[in-house]
Amino acid sequence: MCTTCGCGESTEVTILRPQKADAFTGNLTLGHHHHEETEHHHHHHEKVLHVEQDILQQNNLLAERNRGYFEAKNILAINLVSSPGSGKTSLLEATLKNKKDNSSYYVIEGDQQTMNDANRIDATGVPVVQVNTGQGCHLDSNMINKAIKELNPADDSILFIENVGNLVCPALFDLGESTRVVIISVTEGDDKPIKYPDMFHSAQYCIINKIDLLPYVDFDIEKAKAYALRVNHHLEFIELSARTGEGMDKWLALLKNLK
Ligand SMILES: Nc1nc2c(ncn2[C@@H]2O[C@H](COP(=O)(O)OP(=O)(O)O)[C@@H](O)[C@H]2O)c(=O)[nH]1
Ligand SMILES: [Mg+2]
C-alpha cells in the first residue's frame, strides 16, 4: 500500500512539455491530507488506516471530476499500467504511428524523472506532457487534473495516460479514466497476475507484449491468462508485439471499438 511505501506523502511533481522546459507550469505542491495523529505512537495501526483512506478518498473525489470532464468532452481516457519496461511507451509509439482513424490523440507521460518518454511521443507529432512524480511511484487524479489543463485535449479525442512503471501502487489510484489496460511482457514471468492481483483486478484489458520473444523465454501464455482470470474473470487479452507489429491490428480495433 502507498502509505506503507511512503509515496502517498510525496508532494512535489513537475509537469513539462517537450523542448519547452522553461514554459512549464511550475512546481506543483500537491497537498495530500495528513492527520497529525499519525505522529503519536498510540493506536498506530488505526491511525495509519485513517490516513490511507483519506488519501484515497481525496483522490477518488478528484478522479470523479476528471471523469466528468472526459465525459462532457467525449474523450476516451485510457490508463496504461505495467511494471517498468514491459513496453508501454513502445506500444504508444506503434499505436500513434499506425492510427488510421481521424480522432485526435493526446498523451500524458508519468515517470519519476526525465523527459525521455515525452520526447519519444513528441517525435510522433502527438501533443504530450510529462509528469515527473519525483519520489512518487504512481500518478494520481490531482496530477492528471493539472496535466489536462496544460494539454487541453480536444473534444472527441483519445487520451492515453502512461502511468509510472509499477505493478502495485497505481492500481489504487483512480485517475478518472474510462478504461484501464494492464500490460505484461513475456520476459516478466507468467505468474505476475497472482503476485500482483490488484493491478489485474482493476483493469478491463490485458495486453501480453513482446510475443516476438516467446521462443527465447519459458513464458506460458495460457498459464498467465489462467492466473489473470483467477483474479479478474472479466479480463480480456490481446497478445502482440509492439516491435514487430504482430497483433497490433487487434489493439487498434479495440481502440476503434471503445471510441
Ligand atoms: N523484443 C521486444 N522488445 C520490446 C517490445 N516492446 C518494447 N520492447 C523493448 O522493451 C524495452 C522497454 O520498452 P518501453 O516501451 O520503454 O517500456 P515502458 O517502460 O513500459 O514504457 C525497450 O528496450 C523496448 O525496445 C516488443 O514487443 N518486443
Ligand atoms: Mg515508458
Side-chain angles (χ1 to χ4, degrees):
M1 287 301 234
C2 286
T3 46
T4 308
C5 72
C7 71
E9 295 172 20
S10 155
T11 54
E12 289 249 308
V13 302
T14 53
I15 296 179
L16 301 152
R17 278 183 186 274
Q19 279 121 36
K20 283 185 237 159
D22 50 339
F24 87 113
T25 55
N27 265 338
L28 304 167
T29 302
L30 299 172
H32 288 311
H33 199 91
H34 289 249
H35 278 251
E36 285 178 16
E37 300 94 289
T38 48
E39 304 301 321
H40 296 280
H41 292 289
H42 306 297
H43 312 298
H44 183 69
H45 294 296
E46 189 191 347
K47 302 301 180 194
V48 167
L49 188 66
H50 285 169
V51 172
E52 187 175 292
Q53 286 174 343
D54 196 40
I55 289 169
L56 291 178
Q57 197 191 342
Q58 267 202 329
N59 183 74
N60 288 341
L61 285 173
L62 198 47
E64 286 309 330
R65 283 180 52 188
N66 291 347
R67 188 169 285 113
Y69 170 91
F70 295 139
E71 281 176 10
K73 290 172 71 73
N74 192 31
I75 293 170
L76 172 64
I78 300 179
N79 184 4
L80 294 171
V81 293
S82 82
S83 56
S86 61
K88 297 178 293 302
T89 315
S90 302
L91 176 70
L92 284 179
E93 289 172 312
T95 305
L96 300 173
K97 283 174 190 157
N98 292 304
K99 72 187 180 80
K100 290 183 183 67
D101 55 10
N102 293 324
S103 304
S104 301
Y105 286 70
Y106 297 85
V107 176
I108 297 172
E109 282 291 344
D111 276 303
Q112 286 196 318
Q113 299 290 343
T114 83
M115 295 287 292
N116 290 2
D117 284 3
N119 289 336
R120 286 167 65 183
I121 299 302
D122 190 49
T124 70
V126 167
V128 57
V129 292
Q130 178 80 49
V131 179
N132 282 151
T133 58
Q135 302 288 309
C137 58
H138 62 270
L139 294 175
D140 66 26
S141 56
N142 196 11
M143 299 172 195
I144 297 307
N145 193 268
K146 310 269 187 215
I148 48 184
K149 283 175 185 149
E150 178 70 28
L151 202 51
N152 197 17
D155 289 4
D156 305 316
S157 59
I158 297 180
L159 172 67
F160 291 108
I161 304 168
E162 179 178 338
N163 217 312
V164 177
N166 175 353
L167 272 180
V168 185
C169 307
L172 297 171
F173 286 81
D174 182 6
L175 305 178
E177 76 270 23
S178 52
T179 307
R180 190 175 289 192
V181 178
V182 62
I183 300 168
I184 178 175
S185 61
V186 304
T187 52
E188 293 170 46
D190 46 32
D191 60 352
K192 290 302 167 292
I194 46 167
K195 285 184 173 170
Y196 302 98
D198 286 344
M199 192 61 94
F200 290 83
H201 184 72
S202 72
Q204 293 87 48
Y205 299 94
C206 175
I207 288 182
I208 301 176
N209 188 29
K210 308 195 189 181
I211 56 169
D212 54 298
L213 298 179
L214 274 173
Y216 312 104
V217 293
D218 55 358
F219 184 94
D220 184 334
I221 286 198
E222 292 316 313
K223 209 188 234 177
K225 285 184 182 173
Y227 283 144
L229 288 171
R230 214 189 274 178
V231 297
N232 177 359
H233 67 274
H234 296 297
L235 205 56
E236 291 180 33
F237 301 90
I238 296 177
E239 300 157 30
L240 58 79
S241 166
R243 168 157 300 174
T244 66
E246 188 183 352
M248 279 296 292
D249 51 335
K250 290 188 210 120
W251 164 243
L252 295 173
L254 171 65
L255 289 179
K256 205 168 169 201
N257 222 6
L258 290 172
K259 195 74 193 94

